[in-house]
């Protein structure tokens, strides 16, 4: 049994990342991976499995497809913009790991994937991200190889523009994040504007549970004024602000005395903030709150 667990644990992290890219919900991704483990261990008790990774990857993909089909109906009635559940990474991450996270599970990529049909998403992620051969993908999806090639090609066209240029080196990125926070806490809209691109977009997800903008806000002047207004409204409940990395992006976690109220991730392109992703939906803040909870 210990050997079985060790075999699985070596594969858990990449499986969880694949499930998260498929679903955009980290809690659901962890549930899927655990379900896949139970199915794998049951199969292992009855027969030998030649390739653990292929078996588990196929199982995770199929379980995610089942969830996506039911999630699609729920998201059709979702209040306001939908954003993926943010994932916080540790301070020990190297710049190389942070860069990988920014590209691998970026908000831009996950939002582009959200616009795909479930089978397109699966074909693209398996082939273009995980480098799985089309023959194996055809078996996983129950489609012919030419069909999955078309699925991946269509998906590729949709997500082609989702990966923005490199944000620059880590030191510059952190300096910009610090300047952004200083301008925001000083209610300095002019300073904020200098840090934003002309076409910057602010997207917030409250899930209909807390007040948020029900459409994304675009444009340097509008976004700067919105940020200052939100900061002033939130000043009464803001107890502390933590600097964090969210999906590989620099950002903030804002706490009241009672709970985590908001995360804000900054997508930086060519030395300016090009997009902001604000999460206020309490259901999607639980994992980040747990990750940032003080250690006893």
């Amino acid at each position: 049994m210990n050997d079985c667990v060790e075999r699985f644990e070596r594969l858990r992290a990449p499986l969880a990342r694949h499930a998260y890219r498929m679903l955009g919900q980290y809690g659901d991704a962890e549930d899927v991976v655990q379900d896949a483990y139970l199915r794998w261990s049951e199969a292992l008790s009855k027969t030998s499995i030649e390739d653990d990774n292929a078996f588990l990857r196929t199982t995770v993909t199929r379980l995610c497809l089942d969830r996506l089909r039911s999630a699609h109906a729920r998201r059709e009635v979702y209040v306001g913009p939908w954003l993926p559940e943010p994932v916080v990474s540790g301070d020990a991450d190297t710049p190389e790991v942070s860069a990988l996270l920014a590209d691998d599970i970026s908000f831009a990529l996950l939002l582009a994937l959200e616009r795909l049909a479930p089978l397109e998403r699966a074909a693209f992620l398996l082939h273009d991200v995980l480098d799985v051969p089309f023959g194996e993908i055809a078996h996983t999806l129950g489609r012919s190889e030419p069909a999955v090639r078309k699925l991946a090609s269509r998906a590729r066209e949709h997500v082609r523009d989702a990966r923005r240029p490199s944000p620059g080196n880590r030191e510059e990125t952190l300096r910009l994040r610090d300047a952004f926070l200083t301008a925001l806490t000083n209610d300095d809209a002019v300073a904020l504007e200098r840090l934003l691109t002309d076409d910057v977009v602010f997207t917030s997800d409250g899930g209909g549970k807390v007040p948020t903008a029900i459409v994304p806000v675009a444009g340097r002047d509008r976004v700067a004024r919105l940020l200052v207004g939100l900061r002033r409204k939130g000043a009464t409940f803001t107890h502390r602000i933590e600097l964090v990395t969210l999906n590989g992006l620099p950002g903030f976690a804002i706490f009241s005395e009672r709970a985590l109220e908001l995360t804000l991730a900054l997508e930086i392109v060519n030395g300016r903030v090009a997009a902001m992703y604000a999460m206020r939906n309490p259901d999607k803040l639980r994992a980040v709150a747990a990750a940032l909870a003080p250690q006893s």
Side-chain angles (χ1 to χ4, degrees), residues 80-128:
W82 178 93
L83 288 174
E85 180 180 346
V87 175
V88 63
S89 57
D91 293 335
D93 285 345
T94 64
E96 291 77 13
V97 169
S98 296
L100 177 62
L101 282 169
D103 184 59
D104 197 28
I105 56 172
S106 71
F107 287 102
L109 176 61
L110 292 171
L111 286 171
L113 292 173
E114 181 66 14
R115 295 191 287 269
L116 302 178
L119 288 176
E120 290 175 337
R121 186 186 304 201
F124 172 80
L125 288 173
L126 287 170
H127 184 263
D128 286 42

Side-chain angles (χ1 to χ4, degrees), residues 208-253:
K209 300 175 184 294
V210 293
T212 55
I214 59 172
V215 295
V217 178
R220 176 184 293 171
D221 178 64
R222 294 182 65 203
V223 170
R225 285 188 283 108
L226 172 69
L227 288 169
V228 170
L230 292 176
R231 211 289 304 180
R232 289 172 177 168
K233 289 180 181 178
T236 55
F237 69 74
T238 299
H239 179 64
R240 78 178 193 275
I241 299 175
E242 288 196 24
L243 305 178
V244 292
T245 300
L246 301 161
N247 294 63
L249 301 180
F252 314 98

Side-chain angles (χ1 to χ4, degrees), residues 108-212:
L109 176 61
L110 292 171
L111 286 171
L113 292 173
E114 181 66 14
R115 295 191 287 269
L116 302 178
L119 288 176
E120 290 175 337
R121 186 186 304 201
F124 172 80
L125 288 173
L126 287 170
H127 184 263
D128 286 42
V129 176
L130 298 181
D131 202 27
V132 178
F134 279 119
E136 182 182 323
I137 298 172
H139 170 71
T140 297
L141 302 185
R143 299 291 190 275
S144 68
E145 188 169 330
V148 297
R149 287 181 181 273
K150 288 182 180 178
L151 287 169
S153 177
R154 286 203 301 267
R156 199 174 298 120
E157 288 298 312
H158 285 289
V159 303
R160 182 176 52 191
D161 298 327
R163 294 177 175 180
R164 293 178 180 267
S166 170
N169 68 59
R170 183 175 175 81
E171 291 74 17
E172 290 177 355
T173 297
L174 296 183
R175 278 198 295 270
L176 181 58
R177 177 204 63 190
D178 294 345
F180 179 94
L181 181 58
T182 298
L184 186 60
T185 54
N186 289 337
D187 295 336
D188 192 340
V190 174
L192 278 171
E193 285 190 45
R194 288 198 294 265
L195 301 173
L196 309 178
T197 62
D198 291 338
D199 57 351
V200 62
V201 178
F202 177 94
T203 306
S204 55
D205 179 342
K209 300 175 184 294
V210 293
T212 55

Side-chain angles (χ1 to χ4, degrees), residues 71-80 207-208:
H72 180 72
R74 294 196 304 272
R75 289 176 191 173
E76 283 184 344
V77 294
Y78 198 83
V79 178

